[in-house]
Amino acid sequence: MPLTGSFRTVSVLFLVHLMVLVVFTLQTAEARRLAAVNTTTSAFFVFGDSTVDSGNNNYIPTISRSNFSPYGKDLPDHIATGRFTNGKLVTDFLSSYAGIKDMIPPYLDPTLTVEDLKTGVCFASAGTGFDPLTAQINEVIPIQKQLKYFKEYKSRMEVEIGKEKTRRLISSAFFLISAGTNDFMVNYYGPTKIRSKTYNISGYQEFLLQQGQQLIQGLLGLGARKIGFVGLPPIGCVPAVITLNSDNALTHRGCIQRLSAVARRYNTLLQIKLAAIQKQIPAATIVYVDIFNPIDRMVRNPQQFGNNLRPIEIWCSD
Ligand SMILES: *[C@@H]1O[C@H](CO)[C@@H](O)[C@H](O)[C@H]1NC(C)=O
Ligand SMILES: *[C@@H]1O[C@H](CO)[C@@H](O)[C@H](O)[C@H]1NC(C)=O
């Protein structure tokens, strides 16, 4: 899909639910773009699922947790924080790159100070999706509730630092949204296949995109002006998906192309939708973040990314 004008694409590698492997590269052009954001952005807010949850699920009753070993084993103090990774999340790296702070804390952490809040927090919850039913299945925080938490955050900051400073903080902050994989993998194609009984796949994609659009519009309404929206990874290459869909999960570990094609189509529709929203709100910057192609490249050419990665961890090429 050719994209023009002020609509931009950023490429970042992301973790997918329950993957311990951390792979993160930022290409030079992207680092330059981030440097531009650097000068004006002083806070970073994050919405979504396990790809970006920095520990909110530690504070809610769910089994969708990662606050135990080996999670966190590569952090300086080797402590599992509730991030679904051995170290920092991509969003933590982005925050460091932008010179904001080293790691983005979970909003539900009751010990956060006003200083912590001022530079941004994470509202994400592992296991969630754009579909409220996905969050219900996993007993985690729906995306819609994450927006409510941000509203609550805004009111709290207005009391702490005043309305005008809060307005400026939010309008110069960077917002990142990363979710959607669980809607397909846990919900639509998951054990119960609930949504597949009422939606065909294009209908479901459209439903998710509408939910995503509502989140963007909610954020814009609360004063956000810089929003990055992450697309889907090649979901047919997620190890658990291969295991569940392969005729021999031990020997046949190729990606399930049929499922990755669903993600690709969703990403195309998402880019069209984001471009349309961008056109309506020229004062905002809405960016599509591509994780499909970087991960696809890694899956196809694992040796290019260092042969210290064991094949099973790089999702096996087809
Ligand atoms: C962003 O700014 C900080 C200082 O505020 C600097 O340390 C960091 O290297 C910058 N990042 C980029 C990508 O330019
Ligand atoms: C999917 O469902 C919608 C109605 O929700 C319908 O308009 C469309 O034709 C269906 N698509 C396919 C491929 O069956």
Side-chain angles (χ1 to χ4, degrees):
M1 187 55 45
L3 296 165
T4 52
S6 62
F7 188 68
R8 282 172 273 151
T9 301
V10 182
S11 204
V12 175
L13 293 180
F14 255 80
L15 297 181
V16 173
H17 198 42
L18 299 183
M19 272 194 68
V20 176
L21 170 70
V22 173
V23 190
F24 177 72
T25 59
L26 263 178
Q27 280 137 25
T28 325
E30 288 137 15
R32 270 201 300 274
R33 248 179 252 143
L34 273 176
V37 173
N38 207 4
T39 53
T40 52
T41 300
S42 56
F44 197 162
F45 296 98
V46 182
F47 299 79
D49 61 16
S50 62
T51 53
V52 291
D53 180 359
S54 61
N56 284 308
N57 282 12
N58 295 347
Y59 303 98
I60 60 167
T62 175
I63 56 162
S64 216
R65 286 210 186 157
S66 59
N67 54 348
F68 48 86
S69 172
Y71 294 110
K73 73 183 174 70
D74 294 331
L75 288 175
D77 52 7
H78 316 292
I79 289 178
T81 56
R83 288 168 172 79
F84 282 72
T85 158
N86 55 317
K88 289 171 34 165
L89 291 166
V90 172
T91 38
D92 296 319
F93 283 109
L94 290 173
S95 172
S96 315
Y97 269 100
I100 299 171
K101 59 183 163 190
D102 205 34
M103 290 173 99
I104 306 175
Y107 178 65
L108 296 186
D109 179 348
T111 67
L112 295 183
T113 64
V114 174
E115 281 312 303
D116 294 327
L117 293 170
K118 258 160 93 171
T119 43
V121 285
C122 168
F123 299 92
S125 172
T128 201
F130 293 111
D131 181 349
L133 187 59
T134 306
Q136 204 181 315
I137 293 170
N138 285 335
E139 299 181 306
V140 294
I141 308 165
I143 288 272
Q144 296 72 15
K145 181 147 182 205
Q146 294 180 25
L147 179 62
K148 286 207 182 97
Y149 277 136
F150 178 64
K151 211 170 188 172
E152 177 190 279
Y153 165 92
K154 187 182 174 188
S155 307
R156 191 168 156 191
M157 291 312 281
E158 284 176 348
V159 172
E160 296 284 358
I161 63 172
K163 278 199 166 169
E164 179 53 24
K165 275 192 180 152
T166 303
R167 192 194 61 75
R168 263 185 280 145
L169 189 165
I170 292 173
S171 68
S172 69
F174 185 68
F175 291 74
L176 191 91
I177 302 165
S178 171
T181 298
N182 295 319
D183 293 313
F184 291 98
M185 296 346 298
V186 176
N187 192 339
Y188 197 88
Y189 294 113
T192 59
K193 299 190 165 42
I194 303 179
R195 286 301 197 197
S196 66
K197 287 165 190 150
T198 43
Y199 289 95
N200 60 29
I201 193 63
S202 43
Y204 194 57
Q205 287 170 328
E206 192 45 49
F207 169 70
L208 296 181
L209 290 166
Q210 273 166 16
Q211 298 295 319
Q213 176 167 3
Q214 278 172 23
L215 174 61
I216 295 176
Q217 281 167 344
L219 292 174
L220 291 170
L222 290 165
R225 288 296 171 266
K226 300 176 198 168
I227 302 175
F229 201 113
V230 182
L232 288 179
I235 53 182
C237 298
V238 174
V241 171
I242 294 173
T243 302
L244 291 173
N245 289 277
S246 171
D247 49 5
N248 184 334
L250 282 179
T251 55
H252 295 173
R253 301 218 42 94
C255 299
I256 314 296
Q257 297 302 346
R258 174 178 61 88
L259 293 177
S260 291
V262 168
R264 205 187 277 280
R265 169 99 185 117
Y266 169 93
N267 287 342
T268 302
L269 296 171
L270 172 62
Q271 287 173 76
I272 294 168
K273 180 139 280 184
L274 294 179
I277 301 171
Q278 172 69 84
K279 214 170 166 186
Q280 282 168 8
I281 324 251
T285 304
I286 298 167
V287 173
Y288 169 70
V289 181
D290 172 33
I291 55 163
F292 191 104
N293 289 303
I295 293 180
D296 194 53
R297 273 199 299 278
M298 290 171 61
V299 170
R300 285 173 200 281
N301 306 298
Q303 61 293 342
Q304 276 181 13
F305 297 86
N307 53 15
N308 55 334
L309 303 176
R310 284 187 291 119
I312 197 79
E313 286 178 337
I314 44 174
W315 303 7
C316 299
S317 57
D318 46 324

